[in-house]
Each structure stands twice: as C-alpha cells, then as structure tokens.
Amino acid sequence: MRIFRKLAAALGALTVGALLLALGPPGLRAQGLTPAGQGAPGQLAPGQLGPRRLASGLATPAAPGKLAAPGTAGAPAAPLLLGGAPAVPGRGTAADTARVFSLQDLAELVFANHPIVKQAVLLSAEAQAQVQQARGGFDPKLGAGFDRKVFGGTDYYNNWANELKVPLWPGGVDLKAGYDRYVGPYVNPEHRTPGAGLAGIGLSVPLGQGLLIDARRSTLRQARILVAAAEADRVKQINEVWLQAAKDYWNWYYAYQQTALIQEGVALAEGRFQAVRRRVDVGDQAPIDSVEARITAQDRLVQAEQLGVELQNARLVLSNHLWNRDAQPVELPTRAVPQAVRLAAVDTTDLRRLSDLAATQHPTLRKLDAKIRQLGIEERYRREMLKPKINASGTLLSQGDFYRNELPDTYGFGWNNYKVGVDFAFPLFLRQERGKLQYTRIQVQENILEQQQSRRIILNRVDASYNTLKAYERQLAIQALAIENQRLLLRAELAKFNLGESTVFLINSRETKLIDLRLKLASMQAGYEKSLAELYYYAGTRTPGAE
C-alpha cells in the first residue's frame, strides 16, 4: 500500500504541474497575453493604439504560461519538462492575431508619423529652396531713379533714369534696356539728353573673368548638387531611425519571451510545491523537500516581478517611436504581443549584393560624392577668378520718342548712335585668389580621402555583420540541440524521482537549467534579428519589408 501511495503522489505531482502549465497562472490567464499586474486587455490608456492598429496577418504567440511546439504556437502543448518548445509568437486564432503588433505595423507608423522622419523629409525641401534662391541670381531687375532741383526760381536739373537688366546664362552676358532723361541748365553735358529723353538697348559681356563661369552660375550649380546631398542625408536619418526602432522592437520581443518563460517556470514550481506538500502531509516525503520546492517557487516569483518591470520598460522604449497622424505620442497597449522571429537566412549572394549596394549607394558615400562634385564646381570658379576682369559693354541709342514715325533716322536706333565701354582690372599678386583656390583643392583632397576611408569602413561593417549573422546561425543550431539534451536529462531525472532515486533539488536544478537555455535561445533570436537590421543599415538600406 505504501508503494501505491508513493506512485499516486508522484502521478499527482505530474498531473498538477501539467495542468497548471496548460492553464497558466490565474492572473495571467485572466489577462490574455499580458503578465499579471499590467492591465486588462479591454482597457486602453488615452493615446494608446486601438485594436485595429494591431491587426495583422501574422501569427500570434502562445500565451505566457503555455508551451507551444514549433509550428503549433498557440495550441496547448506538452509541459516544459516533457519537451515543450519555447512560447514563440506564431499562428493562432483570429482573436489572438488581432493582438500581434508586427514589425511591419511598426514600420508603417514610423515612416508615416515619426517626427524625425518628417524632419528628414524637410531636408530635400530645404535644398530645393536653396536652388530657388540661387536661381534668383538670374532674375531680371528693373530699376528707376528720379532727381530734381529747383532753387530761386531756377530749375537746376531734372533727372530720370530707368533700366531693365536681364542676366543670361551663356557667357555671363547681361542684356540691358534703359530710358534716361537728363535736362536742365546745370546738367553735366556728357549726361544731358534731348527733351524727349534717350532710350538704349545693349549688352554687357565679360571677356576675361566670368566668361566661362561666374558667381551666380557657380552658386546655382552647387545648389543643384546639394539636392543630392540632402537626399542622402534624408535617407541616412530615416535609416538611423528605423535601425533604432527595429532594435527596440526585438528588445521588447526578448523581454516578452523572458516574462513568458519565467511565468511558465513559476507555474511549474508552484505546482511541484503543492504536490510535494501533499506528499509531506501523508508522510511519504521529508518536510525539508517542501521547503526546497517553496524556495524555488519564491525565487522564480521574484524573477517574474523583475522581468515584468523590464517588459513594461521595453514597451515604453518601443512606444518612443509611435506617433499618430496628429503628431501626438501613442503608447503600445499592454495586450500587444510581438511577432515570431523570422530568422531570414542571408547567403553569400545576398552579401555580394549588399556590398555592391553599400559601395555605390550608401548615403554617407553619396553625400561625400556630392560634396566632392560641389567642391569641383568651386575649384573651377576659383580658377576663373585668376583671370583679369575685362568687361565690354555696348548700347544702341535712340531719342526717347523713337516710336514716332516722323522721327528722323539720324536720331533712331542705328550703328551711328551708340555708347561703348571697356573696364579692366587685375590684381598684381593674386594672393587672395590663389589662396582660395589652394584651400578649395585641399578640401577636395580631404573629401576624397574621407570617402575612401568611409567606403572601407562601411564594407568592413557589412562583412562583420554578415559574420555575426553566420555565428548566430551556428549558435542557434547548437543551442537547439542543447535544449533537447537538457529536456532528455530533465525527463530522466523526473523518472528517477518517481522511482525514489532523485530529489526535488535535482529536478529544480535541471528545470532551471532548461529555462536558462531557453532564455539564451530567445536572446540569440533577438540578437540575430538586430544583427540583420544592422547588416542592412550598414549597406545603406533597410530590412526587407521596411523600404
């Protein structure tokens, strides 16, 4: 009879442990997928994401406190000690699917509403505004001036000058049209005009400095190049925001998995304690064994409290990236759960493609390339400034009322009525111009060297991230084998315990080791996903699905 009582007590311990594991802690089960003490699923704080926002076609995880085998997440699974798999978010019911906040959901919110992303978009608008400002150097200008002096009944002078100046792109030429009327007894004879005034149309042409390129053409060309630099800056800032958001997402995933696993461990330890206590009550086991079981349960409860706080903090950190259309911050609901890890494989073909992309299209390299081209324009302009200033101007003249048919040809537009001029200036030492040219050339060399070094660093980072991913792949395979072996060891220890050849201490030790191995597996999975995001970031792009 004593043997039968021992066997019944052992079976009772197994049954209670499996039952508690399948049902989960009462508080956890009542709250769906949220650890105890973190809010009911039907309650949302102001600014939180509604359930529609969390809808996704991705799979849903099994609830904390349950175990699900790979490919059957969300279904009742075998207990941990009998070979269950980690509580991985996967496929589930439609109601559970609505709780999944996937990486794609995060991408849609970040790229649509994140303030830094919106700020990055403004960089291109700023560059276009600078281009428009540079085009202002070619705007036609209309000017007019009027002066008159009357004193003591004498009309000293009556001057009226008007000019329309139209800058032309080729050759730095300016087209000029004007009308002047300078009359009065005290007007300088060289400026005096007929009573009807004097009209003129002509050109101003730089024959030396400014013929090939001048300040306004240099400014416009550089502004156009800066549009490409601004676009590279925009892409870089958005990539940085997404990299941090992806890392925070997978940190939240790991915190969720930690909480799920430790809740599972709490259920197992509590079930074992209750079974051992009943055996102690009937005298089939030493009272000290119940103390051992109780200590294990209490220790895991402490861990569950700590990990619950870490999960809340990880959710808050992820909420830093969540904004609505009205630019108001929103919080991730406590009932939201992360998607399953994808562990997308990256082979050598992908590595070559990403390396080529990084070498040619990385935002940092594109920005440096634009800077080098901008400095090339500046260098060309500085070489132009070494030439002497030779400006020739010519104007055909006509009397102000040239539109009258009775006006004699002698006073109309013709080659006999003109005004010409030539201006010349040349610094003898050219120290200022030569200094600016030398400084620009040094800047070109600096940016070329920086581009070379940046390209090497970027390609090495791509290779390093790829190596990290491959190391994670090998580690994940080994870790999965270690977990299976630890399960075998735990099952064997349990069988020995049922035969009276083991102790609660050994079972707890085997079980704790298995939980630690599964926590390490979840950490590796999160690390793999973060390394994958880094790989695409160093290649100058974003992870697939987040472009």
Side-chain angles (χ1 to χ4, degrees):
M1 292 299 294
R2 183 177 182 84
I3 294 176
F4 286 115
R5 285 199 301 269
K6 287 185 177 181
L7 183 59
L11 291 175
L14 276 177
T15 303
V16 171
L19 181 61
L20 285 175
L21 180 61
L23 294 177
L28 183 67
R29 186 67 176 176
Q31 295 184 31
L33 298 172
T34 306
Q38 297 184 17
Q43 297 177 352
L44 284 177
Q48 286 187 330
L49 297 173
R52 185 182 62 82
R53 176 66 263 167
L54 300 179
S56 168
L58 298 174
T60 184
K66 287 189 179 182
L67 291 173
T72 60
L80 168 67
L81 52 86
L82 296 181
V88 178
R91 292 173 295 277
T93 64
D96 289 337
T97 303
R99 299 191 185 104
V100 174
F101 183 69
S102 67
L103 196 64
Q104 183 61 34
D105 293 330
L106 176 64
E108 291 175 3
L109 286 174
V110 168
F111 297 140
N113 304 323
H114 199 289
I116 302 300
V117 173
K118 292 182 178 180
Q119 182 182 14
V121 174
L122 296 178
L123 293 175
S124 297
E126 289 179 359
Q128 293 293 344
Q130 291 181 358
V131 172
Q132 184 178 7
Q133 180 180 351
R135 287 197 180 105
F138 294 89
D139 288 345
K141 296 181 180 179
L142 178 64
F146 177 77
D147 293 294
R148 183 179 183 183
K149 181 180 179 181
V150 177
F151 183 74
T154 303
D155 190 357
Y156 281 75
Y157 57 81
N158 190 325
N159 299 338
W160 186 25
N162 303 272
E163 183 185 51
L164 175 63
K165 183 178 180 181
V166 182
L168 304 178
W169 178 270
V173 176
D174 290 334
L175 175 64
K176 297 180 179 180
Y179 172 80
D180 299 329
R181 184 176 181 275
Y182 292 86
V183 295
Y186 294 98
V187 174
N188 191 330
E190 69 179 60
H191 296 152
R192 185 177 296 146
T193 65
L198 198 64
I201 183 171
L203 297 173
S204 175
V205 181
L207 301 179
Q209 183 183 118
L211 178 62
L212 301 179
I213 186 172
D214 54 11
R216 60 195 179 194
R217 281 181 284 176
S218 172
T219 301
L220 180 56
R221 288 173 177 172
Q222 292 185 41
R224 288 173 174 171
I225 293 174
L226 286 178
V227 173
E231 178 64 18
D233 260 340
R234 182 189 69 85
V235 173
K236 183 178 180 180
Q237 286 192 18
I238 294 177
N239 287 350
E240 289 175 351
V241 170
W242 175 244
L243 175 64
Q244 188 59 50
K247 286 184 174 181
D248 292 340
Y249 182 90
W250 294 115
N251 287 335
W252 171 53
Y253 165 86
Y254 176 55
Y256 175 83
Q257 291 298 319
Q258 281 185 305
T259 303
L261 288 171
I262 202 63
Q263 290 283 2
E264 180 181 307
V266 169
L268 290 171
E270 187 65 27
R272 186 173 299 110
F273 166 70
Q274 297 296 338
V276 170
R277 187 173 63 177
R278 284 193 294 271
R279 296 181 64 179
V280 170
D281 291 340
V282 299
D284 290 338
Q285 200 162 345
I288 195 65
D289 288 339
S290 65
V291 177
E292 173 69 27
R294 189 56 177 167
I295 290 175
T296 301
Q298 291 171 341
D299 180 62
R300 291 181 183 175
L301 281 172
V302 172
Q303 294 182 44
E305 288 294 330
Q306 179 181 356
L307 293 177
V309 174
E310 292 182 7
L311 177 60
Q312 290 180 358
N313 293 339
R315 188 183 296 113
L316 288 175
V317 172
L318 182 59
S319 296
N320 290 336
H321 306 286
L322 304 181
W323 299 77
N324 61 20
R325 295 179 180 177
D326 299 326
Q328 297 298 320
V330 295
E331 294 181 4
L332 190 65
T334 55
R335 69 173 180 273
V337 295
Q339 70 174 49
V341 289
R342 296 169 298 184
L343 301 180
V346 178
D347 54 21
T348 54
T349 302
D350 296 324
L351 176 62
R352 286 193 297 269
R353 178 179 61 83
L354 292 174
S355 296
D356 294 340
L357 183 66
T360 57
Q361 298 296 324
H362 196 281
T364 299
L365 301 181
R366 288 169 55 193
K367 182 179 179 180
L368 287 172
D369 179 70
K371 183 66 175 178
I372 292 172
R373 289 188 288 122
Q374 177 197 5
L375 290 173
I377 300 296
E378 181 69 15
E379 181 183 2
R380 181 183 174 189
Y381 171 63
R382 292 303 171 186
R383 287 199 307 267
E384 185 74 7
M385 297 297 289
L386 297 178
K387 299 178 181 179
K389 293 181 180 179
I390 305 177
N391 296 325
S393 61
T395 305
L396 297 178
L397 302 175
S398 172
Q399 189 169 304
D401 51 353
F402 58 88
Y403 51 86
R404 293 173 54 191
N405 294 329
E406 61 272 17
L407 182 69
D409 294 339
T410 306
Y411 300 103
F413 286 112
W415 296 110
N416 295 325
N417 299 323
Y418 61 86
K419 182 173 64 174
V420 297
V422 177
D423 298 328
F424 174 81
F426 184 70
L428 296 180
F429 298 113
L430 292 173
R431 283 181 287 199
Q432 181 180 12
E433 289 73 14
R434 287 188 289 115
K436 291 182 178 179
L437 176 60
Q438 183 179 3
Y439 177 74
T440 303
R441 287 174 173 172
I442 292 174
Q443 283 187 310
V444 172
Q445 291 298 319
E446 287 178 349
N447 281 270
I448 291 175
L449 295 174
E450 183 180 355
Q451 187 182 47
Q452 293 174 351
Q453 181 64 19
S454 297
R455 180 177 286 108
R456 180 175 178 83
I457 292 175
I458 289 170
L459 293 177
N460 285 341
R461 284 178 174 175
V462 171
D463 292 338
S465 298
Y466 177 77
N467 294 337
T468 302
L469 283 177
K470 288 303 176 182
Y472 269 124
E473 288 181 6
R474 296 189 294 269
Q475 293 171 18
L476 286 168
I478 296 173
Q479 190 71 10
L481 293 176
I483 290 175
E484 287 302 319
N485 291 333
Q486 185 64 27
R487 285 199 181 101
L488 290 175
L489 187 60
L490 178 58
R491 284 196 291 267
E493 197 67 46
L494 180 62
K496 291 172 62 179
F497 179 80
N498 293 336
L499 297 175
E501 298 178 3
S502 183
T503 63
V504 174
F505 173 78
L506 290 176
I507 292 178
N508 288 336
S509 298
R510 306 297 188 199
E511 190 176 273
T512 301
K513 180 63 176 178
L514 180 54
I515 293 176
D516 291 341
L517 289 175
R518 293 173 66 190
L519 287 173
K520 189 174 182 180
L521 177 65
S523 176
M524 289 180 180
Q525 291 172 338
Y528 184 94
E529 295 290 352
K530 288 190 285 187
S531 296
L532 184 65
E534 288 181 348
L535 173 63
Y536 280 87
Y537 169 75
Y538 291 135
T541 183
R542 298 185 285 276
T543 48
E547 290 86 352

